Amino acid sequence: MDGAWKKKISIRINGVEHIHEVEPRLLLVHFLRDVAGLTGTHIGCETSICGACTVMLNDAAVKSCTVLAVQADGADVLTIEGLAQGEKLHPIQEAFWECHGLQCGFCTPGMILTAHQLLMRNPQPTEDEIRHALDGNLCRCTGYQHIVDAVQYAAKRIKPGLVRSKQKAVSRKQ
Amino acid sequence: MPVSKLVGAKVKRREDPRLIRGLGQYVDDINLPDTLHVAILRSPYAHAKIKSLETDSARQHPGVVAVVTGAEIKDQVGTLPVSGGNETLRVPKHYVLAVDKVCYVGEGVAAVVAEDRYTARDALDLIRVEYDPLPVVTDPEKALAPDSPVIHSEWPDNVAFRSEQKQGNLTKAFKEADKIVRQRLVHQRLAPIAIESRGVVARYLAAEKELTVWSSTQIPHMLKSNLAQMLKLTENQVRVVAPEVGGGFGSKLNVYAEEGLVAHLSLKLNRPVKWSEGRSENFQATIHGRGQVGEVEAAVKKDGTILGLRYKVIADIGAYHQLFTPAIPPFTGLMLSGCYKIPAISMELTAAFTNKMSTDAYRGAGRPEATYVIERMVDRIAQELKIDPVKVRRKNFPKPAEFPFKTATGLAYDSGNYPLALSKALKLAGYEKLRRDQKRLRSRGRYLGIGLSTYVEICAMGPKGMWEYGKVQVEPNGKVTVLSGASPHGQGQETSFAQIVADELGVELDDITVIHGDTATVPKGIGTFGSRATAVGGIAVYQSAQKVKERAREIASHLLEVDPDDLNFAEGRFSVKGVPKRGFTIQQIAQEAHLAKNLPKGMESGLAADSQFEPSNFTFPFGTHICVVEVEPQTGRIEIKKYVAVDDCGKVINPLLVDGQIQGGIVQGMGQAFFEEVIYDENGQLLTGSLMNYALPRAADLPHLNLTRTETPTPVNPLGIKGIGEAGTIGSTPAVVNAVVDALAPFGVTHIDMPLTPQKIWLLCQETKAAGSEGRR
Ligand code: FES
Ligand code: FES
């Protein structure tokens, strides 16, 4: 809105710098979707419950509906669009495809990034650990079983180090 | 038909690559240049007169383009449509924005259109509304009482409609009964909660007089016709696109106020207009499901034979009808026989208006209620007669040889083998051992419960006008385009339809593109609901592929100068019998067909065919679910120890997709049993208005599900498929409740209303303890 006080911020999204003037109240998720045009991050509740908006902020999974864009000033953000390397899918994406870990696909970007964080911290999780790690992400379609299968499948195939988003982000920077 | 290579195979979904990369386009992802954003002011009162409405300050707010109220637009936008119902149906006028009175919390009162979504929401705060509150009624039973406030003054009371279904000699059944088992059952209101809430983008091109509406809908074609009518446009001026849709579960099988409103605003302002529903709006203004309170009476013989069933029920309609509101509760009556031979059945239904959001189709839509009634009753009967619930079920099953099996409610179940699914599930669960464990653990003060549900449901909607459309077209370059009037939103028909066509035409899966959800591309269609997309829409696609093949055969026979019967077809190629070298592939034939220089006399160019399929009957998937729980009376905690399901949806095109549907369905049914309930207080305030106080099942709440299938094809369609979209939800709820009641039988518990929250369980155990009934075993 014209006349509102705005602040200039710079956020590196998937390795690309985005510099914009924004209202301080702008949510990070709206910055990603409406300002940066990356609509892969979804909004399912705006109240930090559903996890559809999960992104990695400086290597930690956050719900971007509860972070202000100005709080992410200077940070590195990884969204679903930044996970694959060109045509090559990330092993977690491969796994969701292989195990039918999605139906409508709306929760999927958030699920994948949450799984990504889990596997960074715990490369060989048990079914129980996976279910607990996904507890902040709601899926109404799958009943979670195929999602759990997908995370297990990915865990078996991920080479150590591949899940470090920061390295990836840096290497994508031209 | 060639040997099927793909039908029946676990084929990875073709829709996934875009979705796992975050490249799917849902409504809110559509950003047209110059788009305006809508925010809707909703009523904070459940029942009130609008005394005054002042919108000037909102209009003057910088960035605001327009503000509209119900009174201003009521002559420009028609009321919302209602479908179904009998001669008793009362249809109150349902405007896209309330005109002079509001009837539920969340009803739209005014809309702001602004340059961006934050500004639109800011301006809502500047609208001043003065309400004159009226008395409220939210309980459907109270709404029917003589002293209740009346919601729609056109009528003397809150009856929305009545219906009575009565078949067989009930008087005789109840006279001959050894015992009459009675139970009051509540099917609580639920919120469907697709993770993508609703959204609409509308763009009117004045020069072309063309309105395009992108909506998160399950029924683009029905929406198109209805919008044309509401906006007084011709159907060819309206195009509806259902882009990627993030789940529906029935909640998007509707025509909503916002769809009419946003389309109208685009027409009026001549700019693209967008509205994205927030989650709290979704709780208030997207349809709810279930909402029935009923009394059941079963007449039974000592040996467990069920002679008759009476269900007297009140359905909670909400303040208005939505598209299929009047059609849902009668479905319950139709399915009350469950998978049993019950000679006499009646349902006496009264639907009540209440000051709440409307109820309408939610995954299962009337059948979960029926299944819950009959499956709870079978367990109640078993408990009363002290017979194993498995025995009562077996006693009343029709035999496989009795199919098509006619129920007292007037249906003919297409095919089934209920004892087989049951035995398989019992074996998988280790039933005998479970019962021994239960006994052993009880003596140590631990409470194991085993619950069964042997369900049957009604699918593939349906005969009598519920056709679906499909088209198969081989392009000049040999690639295949499939059009379908179904509108999948997660079910995976871009994959399963391609499997059907690939097998039929012998082409590669990757050479097939399935298109759906756009009324400009797909000439007609009905949509995705009632587990019909594959069992009806898939058949239309299959028939079209067959027609294409026949046409290709004619062309091949013409080109090869042989009789069509002298051609073999294999691997996508027609060849002369005995001279396999002489032949044409379907791609070569497509090219010839498009060139049209050498075609059989009278044949038009191109290689395409379309068709419509309307089944002669519904299909009836069935199965057995077994849930094993342990209940901790000290805390009310319930742990699911085991969950086994044997489902039968006839032939399967893609087992991966079927498993996905079953798993998702089971968990949604568990949601009803354990967690979910839409609660309004007596003032009509929605107490469960966000995901913070409406609990959905989460990954950690759930056990690993142990699934398997039996396969009894349906004779209703040529592929033998029955549909599987809702079976899980229908089957699982009663299995869970039966398990928990079974666990608490030593406490004298015979029934618990859902959701089975720990608090409720704990209180119940305390009460029975206090009443001294503990240890009654
Ligand atoms: S949209 Fe952020 S958690 Fe739901
Ligand atoms: S796939 Fe639809 S919400 Fe998860």
Side-chain angles (χ1 to χ4, degrees):
Chain A
M1 195 192 86
D2 292 340
W5 185 72
K6 290 194 177 182
K7 182 173 158 50
K8 186 168 176 178
I9 57 167
S10 157
I11 305 178
R12 196 156 52 243
I13 309 171
N14 305 328
V16 179
E17 204 79 36
H18 289 257
I19 302 170
H20 290 278
E21 291 212 338
V22 301
E23 280 187 63
R25 64 173 174 169
L26 185 74
L27 299 174
L28 178 59
V29 69
H30 287 141
F31 183 87
L32 297 171
R33 294 176 50 81
D34 298 343
V35 181
L38 294 166
T39 55
T41 303
H42 297 150
I43 302 171
C45 69
E46 286 183 345
T47 49
S48 213
I49 309 276
C50 76
C53 63
T54 306
V55 299
M56 302 291 286
L57 179 69
N58 291 336
D59 270 356
V62 297
K63 292 179 172 172
S64 61
C65 71
T66 347
V67 175
L68 296 168
V70 291
Q71 290 176 293
D73 189 13
D76 256 311
V77 172
L78 174 71
T79 71
I80 190 69
E81 290 94 338
L83 209 51
Q85 304 267 353
E87 279 306 293
K88 190 158 170 27
L89 293 174
H90 187 279
I92 304 175
Q93 291 172 312
E94 283 283 1
F96 270 68
W97 192 10
E98 192 65 41
C99 301
H100 187 27
L102 60 148
Q103 289 178 29
C104 77
F106 199 78
C107 70
T108 312
M111 284 285 179
I112 289 180
L113 287 163
T114 302
H116 183 260
Q117 156 149 308
L118 166 67
L119 296 178
M120 275 169 73
R121 293 180 177 170
N122 177 2
Q124 294 301 324
T126 62
E127 167 157 4
D128 230 37
E129 287 167 341
I130 296 171
R131 286 184 180 272
H132 276 97
L134 297 178
D135 219 31
N137 290 68
L138 296 175
C139 174
R140 193 59 149 167
C141 299
T142 63
Y144 305 100
Q145 189 142 319
H146 280 163
I147 296 179
V148 172
D149 294 350
V151 179
Q152 282 171 327
Y153 183 96
K156 283 198 203 110
R157 279 160 187 80
I158 286 183
K159 293 182 200 75
L162 201 68
V163 282
R164 302 298 302 177
S165 65
K166 207 153 196 180
Q167 291 167 10
K168 245 170 56 69
V170 170
S171 69
R172 279 173 54 85
K173 225 180 128 184
Q174 324 239 308
Chain B
M1 188 170 165
V3 191
S4 85
K5 289 193 303 192
L6 288 167
V7 168
K10 282 193 174 187
V11 176
K12 283 202 295 185
R13 288 209 320 175
R14 312 180 72 228
E15 32 282 86
D16 288 3
R18 62 177 190 264
L19 300 176
I20 50 182
R21 288 166 170 270
L23 303 178
Q25 283 261 310
Y26 301 85
V27 173
D28 197 35
D29 303 340
I30 296 168
N31 286 308
L32 304 173
D34 226 17
T35 297
L36 294 169
H37 294 262
V38 177
I40 297 170
L41 184 71
R42 296 184 182 276
S43 166
Y45 289 98
H47 199 192
K49 278 215 165 346
I50 301 173
K51 257 171 60 185
S52 69
L53 193 50
E54 188 273 304
T55 56
D56 287 348
S57 359
R59 275 180 228 270
Q60 281 150 21
H61 189 66
V64 169
V65 173
V67 179
V68 295
T69 66
E72 286 162 15
I73 63 169
K74 82 175 199 319
D75 296 328
Q76 292 154 51
V77 192
T79 52
L80 294 180
V82 182
S83 183
N86 58 17
E87 65 292 340
T88 67
L89 184 69
R90 292 168 174 173
V91 183
K93 280 210 166 69
H94 189 182
Y95 296 104
V96 298
L97 289 175
V99 172
D100 44 27
K101 135 173 182 163
V102 289
C103 293
Y104 67 96
V105 165
E107 184 166 2
V109 169
V112 172
V113 193
E115 296 290 347
D116 69 84
R117 60 175 107 209
Y118 282 53
T119 307
R121 284 195 204 174
D122 286 345
L124 289 186
D125 294 343
L126 302 173
I127 300 176
R128 294 276 161 265
V129 193
E130 243 187 296
Y131 294 98
D132 206 349
L134 296 166
V136 170
V137 61
T138 54
D139 179 324
E141 287 174 288
K142 288 188 185 147
L144 296 175
D147 59 348
S148 168
V150 174
I151 299 174
H152 301 290
S153 54
E154 303 93 298
W155 299 290
D157 53 36
N158 292 315
V159 175
F161 60 95
R162 288 179 194 280
S163 86
E164 207 177 330
Q165 293 158 255
K166 194 178 203 166
Q167 296 96 355
N169 191 338
L170 279 151
T171 324
K172 179 164 165 266
F174 277 80
K175 216 165 83 200
E176 286 173 2
D178 293 328
K179 196 166 192 114
I180 293 166
V181 183
R182 294 189 174 85
Q183 185 61 53
R184 179 186 153 94
L185 296 171
V186 178
H187 313 260
Q188 79 273 34
R189 255 186 191 242
L190 301 176
I193 311 293
I195 302 298
E196 182 211 24
S197 44
R198 292 183 294 123
V200 190
V201 173
R203 180 194 59 196
Y204 183 63
L205 299 175
E208 286 82 359
K209 289 203 174 69
E210 188 187 282
L211 172 73
T212 304
V213 176
W214 290 263
S215 184
S216 185
T217 182
Q218 301 173 223
I219 46 164
H221 289 87
M222 275 198 243
L223 179 58
K224 176 184 98 157
S225 306
N226 281 295
L227 280 178
Q229 201 162 19
M230 286 167 72
L231 300 168
K232 302 183 186 78
L233 298 173
T234 59
E235 290 217 13
N236 59 18
Q237 288 177 298
V238 185
R239 170 185 175 194
V240 172
V241 184
E244 216 72 75
V245 172
F249 316 108
S251 71
K252 297 171 183 173
L253 161 56
N254 230 307
V255 176
Y256 280 102
E258 295 83 356
E259 289 169 320
L261 174 66
V262 172
H264 164 76
L265 290 169
S266 174
L267 278 167
K268 179 170 158 154
L269 301 168
N270 210 359
R271 282 176 67 178
V273 177
K274 181 181 197 170
W275 170 74
S276 308
E277 184 186 53
R279 182 57 66 193
S280 55
E281 289 185 286
N282 178 259
F283 273 103
Q284 294 180 351
T286 290
I287 61 103
H288 297 151
R290 319 284 188 259
Q292 286 186 14
V293 194
E295 306 275 347
V296 202
E297 285 181 313
V300 291
K301 284 298 220 190
K302 270 206 293 281
D303 65 356
T305 305
I306 308 171
L307 302 175
L309 194 77
R310 279 196 193 119
Y311 185 43
K312 193 168 172 216
V313 61
I314 293 172
D316 176 3
I317 292 302
Y320 301 98
H321 297 287
Q322 281 280 347
L323 190 58
F324 288 112
T325 301
I328 307 305
F331 250 128
T332 304
L334 217 49
M335 288 308 292
L336 277 177
S337 194
C339 54
Y340 310 107
K341 295 167 85 163
I342 306 176
I345 297 177
S346 74
M347 173 161 111
E348 199 186 304
L349 162 74
T350 312
F353 288 122
T354 52
N355 290 114
K356 299 193 269 192
M357 180 58 201
S358 317
T359 51
D360 200 328
Y362 168 55
R363 201 171 193 173
R367 295 101 93 202
E369 293 88 325
T371 308
Y372 187 69
V373 167
I374 185 69
E375 289 306 300
R376 272 304 294 130
M377 284 316 282
V378 169
D379 264 42
R380 285 280 290 112
I381 292 164
Q383 203 177 17
E384 293 270 337
L385 299 175
K386 300 193 173 53
I387 313 179
D388 189 307
V390 171
K391 271 205 191 121
V392 180
R393 287 179 165 83
R394 282 224 171 92
K395 177 116 232 146
N396 292 286
F397 278 163
K399 291 184 189 60
E402 289 177 73
F403 286 85
F405 166 66
K406 288 211 167 60
T407 67
T409 59
L411 294 169
Y413 291 176
D414 56 344
S415 65
N417 190 338
Y418 305 153
L420 180 68
L422 174 61
S423 319
K424 212 168 165 175
L426 292 173
K427 206 164 147 213
L428 203 59
Y431 186 72
E432 298 302 329
K433 177 167 184 303
L434 282 171
R435 285 288 176 208
R436 288 196 300 273
D437 290 351
Q438 181 181 44
K439 211 166 162 196
R440 190 168 41 82
L441 288 170
R442 270 183 193 171
S443 65
R444 292 198 222 143
R446 285 178 58 191
Y447 300 94
L448 203 67
I450 305 148
L452 283 101
S453 153
T454 45
Y455 74 91
V456 59
E457 66 129 336
I458 179 167
C459 264
M461 316 278 148
K464 301 198 186 115
M466 283 291 201
W467 47 267
E468 196 48 271
Y469 172 82
K471 180 172 184 181
V472 173
Q473 181 168 315
V474 190
E475 311 294 352
N477 63 4
K479 308 282 184 208
V480 181
T481 306
V482 178
L483 305 181
S484 171
S487 195
H489 39 281
Q491 296 88 344
Q493 273 90 8
E494 284 174 40
T495 306
S496 54
F497 287 3
Q499 288 174 262
I500 294 173
V501 173
D503 269 3
E504 200 49 31
L505 298 184
V507 296
E508 295 293 327
L509 205 61
D510 285 341
D511 287 340
I512 303 171
T513 305
V514 179
I515 294 175
H516 57 78
D518 184 345
T519 63
T521 324
V522 183
K524 52 184 176 173
I526 289 193
T528 290
F529 55 91
S531 302
R532 67 191 303 277
T534 307
V536 184
I539 307 302
V541 167
Y542 170 72
Q543 287 177 346
S544 307
Q546 280 186 316
K547 280 198 200 169
V548 164
K549 197 163 88 182
E550 279 327 297
R551 202 176 148 100
R553 181 187 294 274
E554 267 181 69
I555 299 173
S557 112
H558 174 77
L559 295 173
L560 293 162
E561 296 176 342
V562 293
D563 196 79
D565 293 342
D566 288 336
L567 291 172
N568 280 329
F569 182 75
E571 310 268 319
R573 185 171 178 272
F574 288 96
S575 61
V576 179
K577 282 183 185 160
V579 201
K581 274 203 171 141
R582 286 195 64 209
F584 286 104
T585 64
I586 200 130
Q587 289 84 357
Q588 290 168 323
I589 296 169
Q591 219 166 40
E592 284 296 332
H594 283 274
L595 282 173
K597 287 194 180 140
N598 184 12
L599 289 182
K601 214 176 151 72
M603 189 183 274
E604 286 175 9
S605 72
L607 184 56
D610 61 357
S611 71
Q612 208 170 284
F613 179 70
E614 181 180 303
S616 56
N617 185 7
F618 297 99
T619 60
F620 295 85
F622 61 91
T624 298
H625 288 204
I626 300 179
C627 178
V628 184
V629 298
E630 183 170 349
V631 182
E632 213 176 65
Q634 299 82 352
T635 60
R637 207 178 86 90
I638 303 167
E639 187 194 345
I640 311 174
K641 298 282 223 192
K642 196 183 261 192
Y643 197 96
V644 165
V646 178
D647 295 280
D648 193 321
C649 58
K651 285 273 186 204
V652 166
I653 294 178
N654 187 336
L656 214 49
L657 302 185
V658 167
D659 283 350
Q661 286 298 315
I662 294 174
Q663 291 165 3
I666 289 175
V667 168
Q668 221 159 353
M670 285 182 173
Q672 171 166 22
F674 284 124
F675 312 111
E676 299 178 37
E677 181 171 21
V678 172
I679 304 171
Y680 288 86
D681 71 8
E682 69 278 8
N683 300 316
Q685 290 302 321
L686 180 59
L687 301 183
T688 51
S690 84
L691 288 172
M692 284 183 252
N693 33 38
Y694 184 92
L696 292 192
R698 291 162 181 267
D701 299 327
L702 305 160
H704 190 88
L705 308 171
N706 193 350
L707 309 179
T708 185
R709 280 195 301 276
T710 56
E711 194 173 295
T712 315
T714 176
V716 171
N717 63 61
L719 293 180
I721 51 186
K722 290 192 172 190
I724 192 65
E726 294 155 291
T729 311
I730 292 166
S732 72
T733 313
V736 171
V737 178
N738 284 345
V740 176
V741 172
D742 183 55
L744 296 178
F747 289 81
V749 171
T750 55
H751 177 73
I752 315 170
D753 278 324
M754 301 178 286
L756 309 176
T757 57
Q759 185 194 19
K760 208 182 268 179
I761 303 293
W762 180 80
L763 275 174
L764 203 68
C765 295
Q766 295 304 306
E767 277 163 22
T768 48
K769 224 196 249 166
S773 60
E774 191 194 17
R776 195 203 82 177
R777 287 171 39 215

